[in-house]
Amino acid sequence: MSWFQKLLPPKIKRRESADIKKSVPDGLWHKCPSCQAVLYHADLEKNLSVCPKCNHHHRITARTRLDWLLDSEGRFEIGAEVLPVDTLKFKDSRKYSERLTAAKRDTGEDDALVVHQGSIHAVPVIVAAFEFSFMGGSMGSVVGERFVRGVQLAIEQKMPFICFAASGGARMQEGLLSLMQMAKTCAALTQLSEARLPFISVLTDPTMGGVSASFAFMGDVVVAEPNALIGFAGARVIQQTVRETLPEGFQRAEFLLEHGAIDMIVDRRQMRDQLTTLITLLSKQPAAVPLAA
Amino acid sequence: MKVTFLDFEQSVSDLENKIEELRFVQDDSAVDISTEINQLQKKSQTLTKDIYAKLTPWQISQVSRHPQRPYTLDYIENLFEDFEELHGDRSYADDAAIVGGLARFNGQSVMVIGHQKGRDTKERQYRNFGMPRPEGYRKAMRLMRLAEKFGIPIMTFIDTPGAYPGVGAEERGQSEAIGKNLYVMAELRVPLICTIIGEGGSGGALAIAVGDTMLMLQYATYSVISPEGCASILWKSADKAPDAAETLGITATRLKALGLVDKIISEPLGGAHRNYPEMMQTLKKALQDSLKQVQSQTMEQMLQARFMRLMSYGKFKEVEV
């Protein structure tokens, strides 16, 4: 570190180093965390971030997911006008407001849920996708409200509602308000159900805590991505409580399928087709004619 | 029953011990020291008043977990008649951490459901420290549906550290069981009156706490995560629990201000455990009023109000995009 850099206040230093990091292009090569295979980045993307060697489903951003899932035409965002506030003036080692600013800087998102209206293979849908990189995809007031607005629009437009969950649970920094989002999202779904519109819940890695224990399992059909971690209590908490080793594959999608908790596991590369089939079957429509993806 | 005092009540405890000693002396003595005893008792009361006037959220959370605090079955015994406990989820087991059944409240049929903690080691184990497994939530839902079928109002009592974090609980669908209750309670076609009587621990509490009226005892707490849990995640140290309790806003006054609780039920001086009869009377009155208020609405009004209330949860800002 040069003498000049040492003189700079810490904040400026940090920002500079972040800029430097970004100015270097994303690595051309990527090492799969599951099988350690070294993959060419473009190949991995072409394969929807699924490792071609071991089938490991990498975590992807909410917008990437929506881009890959929805037809490119006729899309628009719902609930972007809803933004977070720090009602409790929550402060731990860091203020909530600072965490929000940092999360926005790192992810480009205002909160942890992105909702779009669009279509899959020309079948109209409303899709909500969690952004796990935004404070662990935690559900606070904004996530709850955007979810509800998505559901309400689905009812108005008579469209199915799909949600891709990826969350550590409720957002502690909003206290009990975040817990109440569990009740709020479930309540909204009762109306979707009354309108006889399908809700497909897709559980991706990871779906835990308050998100898992609210709308996630209320899907008419509950789908999971391969090997996704899904559960209520975290493994560490369980281990501390029961003091025994956890069974092999505990809380993984395959474990849940075996225990009857979910309907099916769907590979990300088949997600578009599978969701379309499920929706058209539930809404008694003829099979969709697949458009070129 | 000898009162168990909490750490921050040490001065009261010392005084009470002294009073006890004097009483003992009085019994075998010809000298009348009753005035002295009376004075000390007054002093003890003033001291308690002073301490309870400025309890910190962390201290309140200690009171909410007080081992002598009235539990669901105590309220059932004192507020209801003809309690017929109903057991089991019809699929797997009967969870003793949640009790429920039919009863009469002022002569009217009601369904009572609540978390149940244990008093001694054996009972605590049997009740699993008031931490329900999926069976508990499914039993609760079964009883709610039963109540709905016969148009019987439901009263729930919330007092749990949280849902049980165990392997079996996960295997049998803890998440689904909780989520399903939230869903069902949003549309249940009977009055639902919920009272937080002690510890409102996260999803495990919420799973029987969605309704038309939310009552909360003065020294009860309700939180998205326990102060200890929050501290160990965000501060990496459970010692910071008092700070977490402060910032999480878990007390009745904070939650009422946020619009998440309708009414705070005052507790006797020194907490509910210091005077059961008084606590019972106060809560009975509040439940009576709430039930009457909810029942004055038509079914559609009630369901609409419940739904609007659920939709109103959350604080955010809106901007033009």
Side-chain angles (χ1 to χ4, degrees):
Chain A
M1 198 183 282
S2 77
W3 64 271
F4 177 68
Q5 272 173 321
K6 274 183 199 161
L7 286 177
L8 289 173
K11 235 186 196 164
I12 298 181
K13 258 188 248 171
R14 209 181 314 126
R15 200 172 296 155
E16 203 173 56
S17 64
D19 281 349
I20 290 168
K21 231 186 228 164
K22 268 182 200 151
S23 69
V24 178
D26 269 342
L28 283 175
W29 300 95
H30 173 90
K31 193 170 171 186
C32 172
S34 174
C35 72
Q36 318 298 324
V38 177
L39 309 163
Y40 187 45
H41 204 89
D43 281 350
L44 185 62
E45 287 234 332
K46 222 182 283 165
N47 208 31
L48 307 188
S49 280
V50 177
C51 174
K53 301 272 193 292
C54 74
N55 218 22
H56 174 69
H57 282 51
H58 290 77
R59 286 178 187 168
I60 55 175
T61 69
R63 284 187 200 275
T64 307
R65 182 169 303 274
L66 293 168
D67 285 345
W68 286 345
L69 183 80
L70 293 169
D71 300 335
S72 47
E73 299 296 305
R75 282 169 55 177
F76 63 89
E77 189 162 344
I78 301 155
E81 67 280 7
V82 183
L83 299 176
V85 289
D86 178 16
T87 308
L88 298 182
K89 303 271 170 280
F90 193 95
K91 188 169 179 266
D92 50 273
S93 51
R94 219 166 149 198
K95 285 185 187 158
Y96 177 37
S97 52
E98 286 171 15
R99 284 185 194 269
L100 285 171
T101 314
K104 181 173 176 161
R105 187 188 60 216
D106 295 344
T107 62
E109 298 295 343
D110 294 313
D111 213 303
L113 191 76
V114 183
V115 188
H116 275 192
Q117 178 176 338
S119 59
I120 312 174
H121 291 318
V123 176
V125 286
I126 294 193
V127 184
F130 273 79
E131 178 54 66
F132 186 71
S133 324
F134 193 101
M135 295 189 74
S138 55
M139 176 160 70
S141 300
V142 173
V143 169
E145 181 66 16
R146 287 183 181 173
F147 185 97
V148 166
R149 290 188 187 194
V151 171
Q152 281 168 345
L153 192 68
I155 296 169
E156 267 169 46
Q157 307 277 327
K158 298 191 172 49
M159 288 179 188
F161 184 75
I162 303 171
C163 180
F164 285 84
S167 172
R171 186 171 298 168
M172 278 180 284
Q173 290 84 353
E174 290 189 23
L176 199 68
L177 286 166
S178 67
L179 192 75
M180 292 305 144
Q181 303 312 307
M182 296 169 65
K184 179 173 175 171
T185 50
C186 284
L189 289 173
T190 61
Q191 295 218 325
L192 188 75
S193 180
E194 215 164 285
R196 297 288 176 264
L197 292 163
F199 168 43
I200 315 271
S201 179
V202 187
L203 315 181
T204 75
D205 189 53
T207 301
M208 301 296 294
V211 166
S212 173
S214 55
F215 61 83
F217 281 95
M218 293 305 105
D220 296 306
V221 179
V222 182
V223 177
E225 279 196 337
N227 202 40
L229 186 73
I230 303 156
F232 177 66
R236 199 168 48 88
V237 176
I238 296 174
Q239 226 150 12
Q240 279 167 3
T241 314
V242 298
R243 297 179 195 288
E244 55 184 70
T245 45
L246 303 176
E248 177 88 14
F250 183 61
Q251 291 184 325
R252 294 289 169 183
E254 296 70 16
F255 183 89
L256 270 85
L257 185 68
E258 197 181 307
H259 284 86
I262 57 175
D263 287 291
M264 60 181 82
I265 295 172
V266 175
D267 188 294
R268 190 179 291 157
R269 292 159 294 186
Q270 270 83 59
M271 197 62 83
R272 273 169 65 84
D273 294 350
Q274 289 268 72
L275 288 179
T276 315
T277 308
L278 283 170
I279 289 165
T280 49
L281 283 171
L282 282 170
S283 46
K284 294 175 281 187
Q285 291 167 20
V289 184
L291 301 170
Chain B
M1 184 172 60
K2 201 167 167 355
V3 177
T4 308
F5 288 97
L6 299 163
D7 284 349
F8 60 86
E9 296 175 305
Q10 192 53 50
S11 49
V12 181
S13 168
D14 293 346
L15 252 163
E16 289 292 329
N17 282 337
K18 206 162 167 194
I19 294 168
E20 199 57 34
E21 267 169 41
L22 283 179
R23 275 212 188 103
F24 192 71
V25 173
Q26 170 81 87
D27 285 347
D28 339 286
S29 136
V31 197
D32 185 18
I33 46 172
S34 60
T35 17
E36 212 165 314
I37 294 177
N38 276 341
Q39 260 175 355
L40 281 177
Q41 269 173 330
K42 251 196 205 133
K43 202 172 160 196
S44 164
Q45 278 206 349
T46 322
L47 202 56
T48 311
K49 227 180 248 170
D50 288 348
I51 292 173
Y52 274 73
K54 39 180 192 256
L55 287 184
T56 65
W58 176 240
Q59 288 169 334
I60 290 176
S61 123
Q62 305 305 304
V63 180
S64 78
R65 300 169 182 171
H66 194 285
Q68 291 166 325
R69 201 170 167 80
Y71 295 150
T72 296
L73 284 174
D74 298 308
Y75 289 108
I76 290 179
E77 193 186 309
N78 288 284
L79 304 183
F80 302 88
E81 299 95 52
D82 290 347
F83 177 57
E84 290 287 344
E85 186 171 356
L86 304 173
H87 293 275
D89 69 343
R90 295 293 184 275
S91 305
Y92 183 78
D94 183 40
D95 188 344
I98 288 186
V99 294
L102 290 158
R104 252 182 258 283
F105 182 72
N106 289 332
Q108 186 184 351
S109 295
V110 289
M111 184 66 83
V112 194
I113 299 167
H115 300 102
Q116 181 64 34
K117 294 177 175 176
R119 292 274 172 222
D120 54 36
T121 311
K122 205 173 148 195
E123 201 202 350
R124 279 192 194 115
Q125 219 152 32
Y126 170 64
R127 299 286 179 192
N128 200 29
F129 303 87
M131 293 188 284
R133 298 178 168 93
E135 298 73 60
Y137 297 115
R138 290 186 179 129
K139 167 166 74 178
M141 190 181 64
R142 185 175 75 79
L143 301 190
M144 289 186 206
R145 286 295 193 201
L146 175 62
E148 184 182 42
K149 178 173 170 182
F150 292 99
I152 295 170
I154 300 167
M155 291 182 181
T156 69
F157 297 93
I158 292 93
D159 187 16
T160 179
Y164 182 65
V167 174
E170 294 287 326
E171 288 175 329
R172 298 192 299 277
Q174 186 83 285
S175 290
E176 190 272 349
I178 295 173
K180 190 61 178 283
N181 279 18
L182 305 181
Y183 185 96
V184 166
M185 283 183 284
E187 58 172 12
L188 208 66
R189 299 177 69 83
V190 282
L192 258 162
I193 294 167
C194 313
T195 311
I196 319 281
I197 55 170
E199 232 180 324
S202 192
L206 181 66
I208 58 167
V210 177
D212 302 300
T213 309
M214 286 294 305
L215 306 178
M216 184 162 175
L217 299 200
Q218 191 178 0
Y219 305 124
T221 56
Y222 193 8
S223 181
V224 63
I225 183 168
S226 70
E228 294 92 329
C230 179
S232 66
I233 295 174
L234 292 182
W235 280 268
K236 318 276 176 223
S237 152
D239 298 341
K240 292 283 186 186
D243 297 320
E246 186 79 47
T247 196
L248 277 167
I250 61 177
T251 60
T253 36
R254 287 288 296 275
L255 297 174
K256 174 125 194 301
L258 285 170
L260 301 178
V261 163
D262 297 307
K263 194 173 178 201
I264 301 173
I265 314 298
S266 25
E267 293 192 25
L269 180 62
H273 60 283
R274 296 288 292 273
N275 191 339
Y276 270 41
E278 187 188 325
M279 187 70 252
M280 297 299 155
Q281 215 179 354
T282 321
L283 183 57
K284 184 162 190 178
K285 171 86 174 50
L287 287 172
Q288 227 164 270
D289 294 346
S290 303
L291 186 61
K292 206 166 133 194
Q293 192 268 324
V294 177
Q295 285 188 317
S296 70
Q297 301 171 309
T298 65
M299 176 70 68
E300 290 322 308
Q301 281 171 339
M302 180 187 81
L303 291 174
Q304 181 66 15
R306 190 189 302 160
F307 187 77
M308 293 316 286
R309 168 209 198 87
L310 286 163
M311 289 305 113
S312 75
Y313 286 151
K315 302 272 184 209
F316 49 82
K317 62 182 175 194
E318 280 194 74
V319 294
E320 297 262 343
V321 276

